[in-house]
Amino acid sequence: MEFRTRVKIDEPGFKIEPCEEILIVGSCFATNIGQRFKEEKFRATVNPFGVMYNPASILHTVRRTQDKPRIALFTLGTNRVYILKETGEIVDNCEKRPQRLFTEKELTVDDCADYLSEAIEILMGRRQDVKIVITVSPIRYAKYGFHGSALSKAILLLAIDKLEKRYNDIVKYFPAYEIVNDELRDYRFYAPDMLHPSQQAVEYIWEQFSEVYLSDNAKRFIAEWKPVKEALGHKPFNSESEEYKAFMRKTMLKVEALSKKYPNFAL
């Protein structure tokens, strides 16, 4: 018997190779997943200008970077934006300035799709074979009220659906939102605030993503890198002991072997 809902993850039609260059932009959930990519030695640029919650802010980051990745991952948190009254511009961070200086606005489905389309077109202009993975953050926004949060996520999901149809072979949706809310439907998979996914939930999402999106070669690299990563993270009682020095020499030989086998690998 099956006692939970399993979320089906569609094959994307492309695979991520070991140590590949990846641009990751979005909410704090993007930061969590981005850290996982970095741990596995992908050349990941993660939120270089800070956390970006909405499609307009994701576009702002793409405009400001010079990255030319084959893989980009956008994680959308909300369709709500804050506009600085003085300039009429959408800000990416209010920087703790008084709320009276801003107007809050909800982006429509078309607004969200248009901002993200521009970001996609910019990346396509930099590299023709770019692939875009878009997710919706499973983090609920209690300050909107839970109904308001659900409406916000629905608008984002509808916008992504438009993008998948518009960029059929380029944009793919990864169901992180559904995995947390349907498959991991239990508060033991949440942080103490009962809003953010726990580290265990993030790890599970990473496992599901890896299974479908990583190439066999990337999976082999991660398996080979794991014992080396653990060895490098080892904290010795005495770093000057001959035993530890011999251990590190052996470990560095393994690092050298990985560098030869996987040209893009670097500590």
Side-chain angles (χ1 to χ4, degrees), residues 48-83:
F49 303 107
V51 175
M52 301 291 158
Y53 294 97
N54 63 77
S57 293
I58 287 174
L59 169 59
H60 295 163
T61 290
V62 171
R63 282 176 177 165
R64 293 173 69 186
T65 68
Q66 298 302 314
D67 293 55
K68 300 177 182 179
R70 190 179 73 91
I71 306 295
L73 193 155
F74 299 155
T75 295
L76 310 178
T78 177
N79 72 321
R80 298 197 181 202
V81 298
Y82 289 89
I83 300 169

Short mmCIF file of all heavy atoms in Angstrom, two decimals, residues 48-83:
data_model
loop_
_atom_site.label_atom_id
_atom_site.label_comp_id
_atom_site.label_asym_id
_atom_site.label_seq_id
_atom_site.Cartn_x
_atom_site.Cartn_y
_atom_site.Cartn_z
N PRO A 48 23.64 36.54 -6.61
CA PRO A 48 24.81 37.42 -6.45
C PRO A 48 24.48 38.81 -5.93
O PRO A 48 25.36 39.50 -5.41
CB PRO A 48 25.37 37.49 -7.88
CG PRO A 48 24.22 37.16 -8.77
CD PRO A 48 23.40 36.16 -8.01
N PHE A 49 23.22 39.24 -6.03
CA PHE A 49 22.82 40.56 -5.54
C PHE A 49 21.78 40.44 -4.43
O PHE A 49 20.99 41.36 -4.19
CB PHE A 49 22.30 41.41 -6.70
CG PHE A 49 23.31 41.56 -7.81
CD1 PHE A 49 23.14 40.90 -9.00
CD2 PHE A 49 24.45 42.33 -7.62
CE1 PHE A 49 24.07 41.01 -10.02
CE2 PHE A 49 25.39 42.46 -8.63
CZ PHE A 49 25.21 41.79 -9.84
N GLY A 50 21.78 39.30 -3.76
CA GLY A 50 20.84 39.07 -2.67
C GLY A 50 19.64 38.25 -3.09
O GLY A 50 19.45 37.95 -4.27
N VAL A 51 18.85 37.90 -2.11
CA VAL A 51 17.65 37.09 -2.33
C VAL A 51 16.63 37.89 -3.14
O VAL A 51 16.39 39.07 -2.86
CB VAL A 51 17.05 36.64 -0.98
CG1 VAL A 51 15.74 35.91 -1.18
CG2 VAL A 51 18.04 35.76 -0.23
N MET A 52 16.03 37.23 -4.14
CA MET A 52 15.05 37.88 -5.01
C MET A 52 13.74 37.09 -4.96
O MET A 52 13.73 35.91 -5.30
CB MET A 52 15.56 37.93 -6.46
CG MET A 52 16.87 38.68 -6.62
SD MET A 52 16.70 40.45 -6.33
CE MET A 52 18.38 40.92 -5.92
N TYR A 53 12.67 37.74 -4.54
CA TYR A 53 11.44 37.01 -4.28
C TYR A 53 10.46 36.99 -5.44
O TYR A 53 9.64 36.08 -5.55
CB TYR A 53 10.75 37.60 -3.05
CG TYR A 53 11.53 37.40 -1.77
CD1 TYR A 53 12.35 38.41 -1.27
CD2 TYR A 53 11.47 36.20 -1.08
CE1 TYR A 53 13.08 38.22 -0.11
CE2 TYR A 53 12.19 36.01 0.08
CZ TYR A 53 13.00 37.02 0.57
OH TYR A 53 13.72 36.83 1.70
N ASN A 54 10.49 37.99 -6.31
CA ASN A 54 9.46 38.12 -7.34
C ASN A 54 10.06 38.11 -8.74
O ASN A 54 11.28 38.31 -8.90
CB ASN A 54 8.65 39.39 -7.10
CG ASN A 54 9.51 40.64 -7.23
OD1 ASN A 54 9.84 41.05 -8.33
ND2 ASN A 54 9.90 41.23 -6.10
N PRO A 55 9.26 37.91 -9.77
CA PRO A 55 9.80 37.85 -11.14
C PRO A 55 10.53 39.10 -11.59
O PRO A 55 11.53 39.01 -12.30
CB PRO A 55 8.54 37.62 -11.98
CG PRO A 55 7.60 36.89 -11.07
CD PRO A 55 7.83 37.52 -9.72
N ALA A 56 10.07 40.29 -11.19
CA ALA A 56 10.74 41.53 -11.59
C ALA A 56 12.16 41.58 -11.01
O ALA A 56 13.11 41.97 -11.70
CB ALA A 56 9.94 42.74 -11.13
N SER A 57 12.30 41.19 -9.77
CA SER A 57 13.62 41.22 -9.13
C SER A 57 14.55 40.17 -9.72
O SER A 57 15.77 40.38 -9.81
CB SER A 57 13.46 41.01 -7.62
OG SER A 57 12.79 42.12 -7.03
N ILE A 58 14.00 39.03 -10.11
CA ILE A 58 14.82 38.01 -10.79
C ILE A 58 15.36 38.59 -12.10
O ILE A 58 16.53 38.42 -12.45
CB ILE A 58 14.01 36.73 -11.01
CG1 ILE A 58 13.82 36.01 -9.67
CG2 ILE A 58 14.69 35.81 -12.03
CD1 ILE A 58 12.93 34.80 -9.71
N LEU A 59 14.51 39.31 -12.83
CA LEU A 59 14.95 39.97 -14.06
C LEU A 59 16.07 40.96 -13.75
O LEU A 59 17.07 41.05 -14.49
CB LEU A 59 13.78 40.68 -14.73
CG LEU A 59 14.13 41.63 -15.88
CD1 LEU A 59 14.85 40.89 -17.00
CD2 LEU A 59 12.88 42.32 -16.40
N HIS A 60 15.93 41.72 -12.68
CA HIS A 60 16.96 42.71 -12.33
C HIS A 60 18.31 42.03 -12.12
O HIS A 60 19.34 42.56 -12.57
CB HIS A 60 16.55 43.46 -11.05
CG HIS A 60 15.32 44.29 -11.21
ND1 HIS A 60 14.60 44.77 -10.13
CD2 HIS A 60 14.67 44.72 -12.32
CE1 HIS A 60 13.57 45.47 -10.58
NE2 HIS A 60 13.59 45.45 -11.90
N THR A 61 18.32 40.88 -11.47
CA THR A 61 19.58 40.16 -11.25
C THR A 61 20.17 39.70 -12.57
O THR A 61 21.37 39.84 -12.82
CB THR A 61 19.37 38.95 -10.32
OG1 THR A 61 19.10 39.42 -9.00
CG2 THR A 61 20.60 38.06 -10.27
N VAL A 62 19.35 39.12 -13.43
CA VAL A 62 19.85 38.63 -14.73
C VAL A 62 20.44 39.78 -15.53
O VAL A 62 21.50 39.64 -16.16
CB VAL A 62 18.72 37.93 -15.51
CG1 VAL A 62 19.17 37.60 -16.93
CG2 VAL A 62 18.30 36.65 -14.80
N ARG A 63 19.80 40.93 -15.50
CA ARG A 63 20.33 42.10 -16.23
C ARG A 63 21.71 42.50 -15.70
O ARG A 63 22.59 42.88 -16.47
CB ARG A 63 19.38 43.29 -16.07
CG ARG A 63 18.13 43.26 -16.93
CD ARG A 63 17.26 44.45 -16.57
NE ARG A 63 16.06 44.58 -17.37
CZ ARG A 63 15.04 45.35 -17.06
NH1 ARG A 63 15.08 46.09 -15.96
NH2 ARG A 63 13.98 45.42 -17.85
N ARG A 64 21.88 42.42 -14.40
CA ARG A 64 23.12 42.92 -13.78
C ARG A 64 24.29 41.94 -13.90
O ARG A 64 25.44 42.35 -13.81
CB ARG A 64 22.87 43.24 -12.30
CG ARG A 64 21.93 44.40 -12.07
CD ARG A 64 21.57 44.55 -10.61
NE ARG A 64 22.71 45.00 -9.81
CZ ARG A 64 22.69 45.10 -8.49
NH1 ARG A 64 21.59 44.77 -7.80
NH2 ARG A 64 23.74 45.53 -7.83
N THR A 65 24.00 40.67 -14.06
CA THR A 65 25.09 39.69 -14.17
C THR A 65 25.62 39.66 -15.60
O THR A 65 24.96 40.11 -16.53
CB THR A 65 24.61 38.27 -13.82
OG1 THR A 65 23.69 37.82 -14.82
CG2 THR A 65 23.95 38.21 -12.45
N GLN A 66 26.80 39.10 -15.72
CA GLN A 66 27.38 38.83 -17.04
C GLN A 66 27.48 37.33 -17.27
O GLN A 66 28.14 36.89 -18.22
CB GLN A 66 28.77 39.47 -17.13
CG GLN A 66 28.77 40.98 -17.00
CD GLN A 66 27.91 41.66 -18.05
OE1 GLN A 66 27.98 41.33 -19.23
NE2 GLN A 66 27.08 42.61 -17.62
N ASP A 67 26.82 36.54 -16.43
CA ASP A 67 26.90 35.08 -16.52
C ASP A 67 26.33 34.58 -17.83
O ASP A 67 25.35 35.13 -18.34
CB ASP A 67 26.13 34.44 -15.35
CG ASP A 67 26.79 34.73 -14.01
OD1 ASP A 67 26.99 35.91 -13.70
OD2 ASP A 67 27.09 33.77 -13.29
N LYS A 68 26.95 33.52 -18.35
CA LYS A 68 26.48 32.87 -19.58
C LYS A 68 26.31 31.37 -19.31
O LYS A 68 26.96 30.53 -19.93
CB LYS A 68 27.47 33.09 -20.71
CG LYS A 68 27.70 34.56 -21.06
CD LYS A 68 28.75 34.72 -22.14
CE LYS A 68 29.01 36.18 -22.45
NZ LYS A 68 30.06 36.36 -23.48
N PRO A 69 25.46 31.01 -18.37
CA PRO A 69 25.34 29.59 -17.99
C PRO A 69 24.54 28.79 -19.00
O PRO A 69 23.71 29.33 -19.73
CB PRO A 69 24.57 29.67 -16.66
CG PRO A 69 23.67 30.86 -16.86
CD PRO A 69 24.50 31.85 -17.65
N ARG A 70 24.81 27.48 -19.04
CA ARG A 70 23.93 26.62 -19.83
C ARG A 70 22.68 26.29 -19.04
O ARG A 70 21.62 26.01 -19.62
CB ARG A 70 24.65 25.31 -20.21
CG ARG A 70 23.86 24.48 -21.24
CD ARG A 70 24.58 23.22 -21.63
NE ARG A 70 24.54 22.24 -20.56
CZ ARG A 70 23.58 21.32 -20.43
NH1 ARG A 70 22.58 21.26 -21.29
NH2 ARG A 70 23.62 20.46 -19.44
N ILE A 71 22.78 26.33 -17.71
CA ILE A 71 21.64 26.04 -16.85
C ILE A 71 21.37 27.24 -15.94
O ILE A 71 22.29 27.76 -15.30
CB ILE A 71 21.91 24.80 -15.96
CG1 ILE A 71 22.31 23.58 -16.80
CG2 ILE A 71 20.68 24.50 -15.10
CD1 ILE A 71 21.24 23.06 -17.73
N ALA A 72 20.12 27.68 -15.89
CA ALA A 72 19.70 28.70 -14.93
C ALA A 72 18.50 28.17 -14.16
O ALA A 72 17.64 27.50 -14.74
CB ALA A 72 19.34 30.01 -15.63
N LEU A 73 18.48 28.44 -12.88
CA LEU A 73 17.37 27.99 -12.03
C LEU A 73 16.78 29.21 -11.33
O LEU A 73 17.48 29.92 -10.63
CB LEU A 73 17.87 26.97 -11.00
CG LEU A 73 16.80 26.17 -10.24
CD1 LEU A 73 17.37 24.85 -9.75
CD2 LEU A 73 16.24 26.95 -9.06
N PHE A 74 15.48 29.45 -11.58
CA PHE A 74 14.76 30.54 -10.94
C PHE A 74 13.78 29.96 -9.92
O PHE A 74 13.00 29.06 -10.27
CB PHE A 74 13.97 31.37 -11.96
CG PHE A 74 14.79 32.02 -13.03
CD1 PHE A 74 14.22 32.33 -14.26
CD2 PHE A 74 16.13 32.35 -12.82
CE1 PHE A 74 14.96 32.95 -15.26
CE2 PHE A 74 16.87 32.96 -13.81
CZ PHE A 74 16.29 33.26 -15.04
N THR A 75 13.79 30.49 -8.71
CA THR A 75 12.80 30.10 -7.72
C THR A 75 11.94 31.31 -7.36
O THR A 75 12.45 32.30 -6.83
CB THR A 75 13.46 29.54 -6.45
OG1 THR A 75 14.14 28.33 -6.77
CG2 THR A 75 12.41 29.22 -5.40
N LEU A 76 10.65 31.22 -7.65
CA LEU A 76 9.73 32.33 -7.43
C LEU A 76 9.08 32.20 -6.05
O LEU A 76 8.59 31.13 -5.69
CB LEU A 76 8.64 32.34 -8.50
CG LEU A 76 9.12 32.25 -9.96
CD1 LEU A 76 7.93 32.23 -10.90
CD2 LEU A 76 10.05 33.39 -10.29
N GLY A 77 9.07 33.30 -5.30
CA GLY A 77 8.47 33.27 -3.98
C GLY A 77 7.09 33.90 -3.94
O GLY A 77 6.17 33.38 -3.32
N THR A 78 6.93 35.04 -4.63
CA THR A 78 5.68 35.79 -4.55
C THR A 78 5.49 36.63 -5.81
O THR A 78 6.44 36.92 -6.54
CB THR A 78 5.71 36.73 -3.31
OG1 THR A 78 4.51 37.50 -3.27
CG2 THR A 78 6.89 37.67 -3.36
N ASN A 79 4.24 37.03 -6.04
CA ASN A 79 3.94 37.95 -7.15
C ASN A 79 3.84 39.39 -6.66
O ASN A 79 3.53 40.28 -7.43
CB ASN A 79 2.63 37.55 -7.82
CG ASN A 79 1.42 37.87 -6.95
OD1 ASN A 79 1.45 37.70 -5.74
ND2 ASN A 79 0.33 38.32 -7.57
N ARG A 80 4.12 39.61 -5.38
CA ARG A 80 3.99 40.95 -4.82
C ARG A 80 5.32 41.70 -4.93
O ARG A 80 6.38 41.14 -4.68
CB ARG A 80 3.55 40.88 -3.36
CG ARG A 80 2.19 40.23 -3.20
CD ARG A 80 1.58 40.51 -1.86
NE ARG A 80 0.28 39.85 -1.73
CZ ARG A 80 -0.66 40.23 -0.88
NH1 ARG A 80 -0.46 41.25 -0.08
NH2 ARG A 80 -1.81 39.59 -0.81
N VAL A 81 5.22 42.98 -5.28
CA VAL A 81 6.40 43.82 -5.42
C VAL A 81 6.19 45.10 -4.63
O VAL A 81 5.05 45.49 -4.32
CB VAL A 81 6.70 44.15 -6.90
CG1 VAL A 81 6.99 42.89 -7.69
CG2 VAL A 81 5.54 44.93 -7.54
N TYR A 82 7.33 45.77 -4.33
CA TYR A 82 7.27 47.05 -3.65
C TYR A 82 7.87 48.11 -4.56
O TYR A 82 8.98 47.96 -5.08
CB TYR A 82 8.03 46.99 -2.32
CG TYR A 82 7.30 46.15 -1.30
CD1 TYR A 82 7.51 44.77 -1.21
CD2 TYR A 82 6.36 46.73 -0.44
CE1 TYR A 82 6.83 44.00 -0.30
CE2 TYR A 82 5.67 45.96 0.48
CZ TYR A 82 5.90 44.60 0.55
OH TYR A 82 5.21 43.84 1.45
N ILE A 83 7.10 49.19 -4.77
CA ILE A 83 7.50 50.26 -5.68
C ILE A 83 7.86 51.49 -4.85
O ILE A 83 7.07 51.95 -4.02
CB ILE A 83 6.35 50.59 -6.65
CG1 ILE A 83 6.01 49.34 -7.48
CG2 ILE A 83 6.73 51.76 -7.55
CD1 ILE A 83 4.73 49.47 -8.28
#
